[in-house]
Amino acid sequence: MKIPIPAMDWRRRLDDMFDFLNDIRKSSTREEICRHLLFYTKRFGATNLLAGPIPPPHALRREQIAHILLDAWPEKWSERYFPNGYLYRDPTIQLVSRGNMPFLWSELDTICNVAPFGRRIMDEAAEFNLREGLTLPFATMEGHAIGFSVAGEKLEPDSHDRLAFQFIAAYAFGCVAVLADVKRNTRPARLSPRQHDVLRWASEGLTVDEIADHLHISRNTADTHLRLVRERLGVTSTIHAVAEAFRLGLIA
């Protein structure tokens, strides 16, 4: 028989959840929202998160990346995942597109028939400390599917954690969508011609070394340009910089 949670503990948990909602409401950047969310999810083991609308079928790599709105995902995994076309063969994305209920990745085999390539994707994700995850499917008013995933080495959310985080994630996504619209309608950051060049080649999937070779500059110079691009766009990863630049029309 399951022992009920004392009323005072429920009240404490409810107050705790509303504190996080208030922190998210006051956030002025997507990176700040990510930090609040990860601080909350670390209680059940999640150390990374990724969220955004699911791109239309056959979207190019740039378009896929441009749909990311919250990004605290291992960059090395993203650099493998998008260029190799994993998005549409990822079993978690397939379930989100079908409008599935929230699920743990450990539940995949009981929910659907995971294809061998899909299993390979999940196994490769584990190499980047994304061994266990929780995915929350949402939908916009227009019916567009949204995926919101948190992951880590070991996730142990109880039923309250799962329910509370669904509410927090939905609220956070609404806030980040508003921030994205505001940023899209403001004057975009100005990049130098060389910064634009390195960003454009990064959007094509080139590594720092490959960008340096292509532009006949040193690796350190290419890396410095990419760092300045991230600073001017207010992001922390090159993948996120590409997404921002695509949304802002800095690259096409």
Side-chain angles (χ1 to χ4, degrees):
M1 179 177 176
K2 189 173 181 179
I3 300 174
I5 298 175
M8 287 300 294
D9 193 34
W10 275 112
R11 179 56 186 270
R12 180 187 60 78
R13 288 189 176 202
L14 192 61
D15 289 343
D16 181 46
M17 185 179 72
F18 279 107
D19 285 341
F20 273 98
L21 292 177
N22 193 43
D23 288 338
I24 290 169
R25 180 183 62 80
K26 294 186 294 184
S27 298
S28 57
T29 66
R30 283 180 277 178
E31 289 69 34
E32 193 176 354
I33 290 176
C34 274
R35 287 195 297 272
H36 288 309
L37 289 170
L38 288 175
F39 185 79
Y40 185 90
T41 60
K42 74 178 182 181
R43 65 183 61 189
F44 55 83
T47 54
N48 300 92
L49 71 86
L50 190 74
I54 304 303
H58 311 301
L60 298 176
R61 175 180 177 269
R62 293 183 186 181
E63 297 174 88
Q64 294 176 24
I65 294 173
H67 279 69
I68 299 171
L69 290 183
L70 287 171
D71 181 12
W73 218 234
E75 187 166 3
K76 292 295 184 182
W77 173 231
S78 295
E79 289 173 355
R80 180 189 299 185
Y81 184 95
F82 290 104
N84 288 327
Y86 285 0
L87 180 70
Y88 300 110
R89 305 181 73 177
D90 183 334
T92 68
I93 298 299
Q94 292 171 353
L95 287 176
V96 169
S97 297
R98 294 175 199 163
N100 204 80
M101 297 292 288
F103 57 91
L104 291 168
W105 295 357
S106 59
E107 299 168 341
L108 281 172
D109 288 324
T110 63
I111 298 173
C112 64
N113 182 22
V114 180
F117 198 90
R119 177 58 55 198
R120 170 185 160 185
I121 292 172
M122 303 308 293
D123 289 343
E124 288 186 23
E127 300 172 17
F128 297 86
N129 300 320
L130 304 175
R131 190 172 302 278
E132 296 185 2
L134 169 64
T135 294
L136 311 174
F138 297 115
T140 66
M141 294 292 290
E142 297 78 19
H144 300 306
I146 294 169
F148 197 119
S149 291
V150 293
E153 273 294 300
K154 186 173 180 61
L155 265 63
E156 296 180 305
D158 61 24
S159 58
H160 172 81
D161 289 327
R162 291 179 67 164
L163 185 60
F165 189 62
Q166 286 179 54
F167 188 80
I168 290 171
Y171 183 81
F173 195 87
C175 291
V176 82
V178 170
L179 288 176
D181 284 340
V182 169
K183 190 165 187 177
R184 189 180 294 114
N185 292 324
T186 58
R187 187 175 181 180
R190 301 185 65 161
L191 304 178
S192 71
R194 184 58 87 190
Q195 289 164 0
H196 186 275
D197 287 341
V198 297
L199 181 61
R200 182 168 59 85
W201 288 115
S203 75
E204 297 290 345
L206 272 63
T207 65
V208 174
D209 288 330
E210 290 169 338
I211 292 171
D213 289 341
H214 194 85
L215 297 176
H216 306 293
I217 57 179
S218 71
R219 186 189 190 284
N220 285 341
T221 300
D223 192 50
T224 297
H225 284 309
L226 280 174
R227 177 177 54 79
L228 291 172
V229 167
R230 292 193 296 269
E231 289 177 0
R232 293 193 178 187
L233 294 179
V235 299
T236 57
S237 72
T238 300
I239 289 289
H240 199 173
V242 171
E244 279 298 298
F246 190 84
R247 274 194 292 271
L248 296 170
L250 296 175
I251 53 176

